[in-house]
Amino acid sequence: MINLSLPIKDVKVNQPFGVNYLDFYKKLGMLGHNGVDFAAKHGCPIYAAHDGVVYYCGTDSQGGIEADIWNQANLFKTIYYHLEKSVITQGQVIKSGDLIGYADN
């Protein structure tokens, strides 16, 4: 079992898990959104939602900054997109609540 904490202080969900507001996910063969999107103000601190190891930290396919944290014991990964800046490095051990970066958009 994995315990998750919230990655931001002021929580507002933009898109919940499994919801398909548009036909975007259907076109990809998915039933709905496979994550939870939180709204965050520019520069807002982003925290790790669980313990793990930084699997990837760098530029994503859209040119933004992405961080992926992998928990091997529970076979669980969280992905943080739209970062303005990260303060972690690939391979770093992370604890739940550790600062991982700052929101961009």
Side-chain angles (χ1 to χ4, degrees), residues 79-98:
I79 303 171
Y80 306 82
Y81 287 119
H82 309 291
L83 297 176
E84 174 186 42
K85 177 183 177 183
S86 68
V87 296
I88 56 177
T89 57
Q90 196 162 322
Q92 181 179 344
V93 175
I94 299 290
K95 294 291 185 190
S96 179
D98 284 354

Side-chain angles (χ1 to χ4, degrees), residues 3-67:
N3 292 316
L4 295 173
S5 60
L6 292 169
I8 57 176
K9 299 291 183 193
D10 295 319
V11 177
K12 179 182 179 228
V13 175
N14 275 354
Q15 186 167 8
F17 184 86
V19 173
N20 194 4
Y21 292 130
L22 304 171
D23 64 352
F24 174 80
Y25 299 103
K26 188 175 184 179
K27 289 179 182 177
L28 295 174
M30 300 165 60
L31 296 176
H33 188 237
N34 64 348
V36 177
D37 287 347
F38 295 99
K41 293 180 182 176
H42 185 264
C44 171
I46 307 297
Y47 303 96
H50 59 85
D51 297 348
V53 174
V54 179
Y55 178 77
Y56 177 77
C57 186
T59 305
D60 65 23
S61 63
Q62 303 298 313
I65 298 174
E66 168 188 346

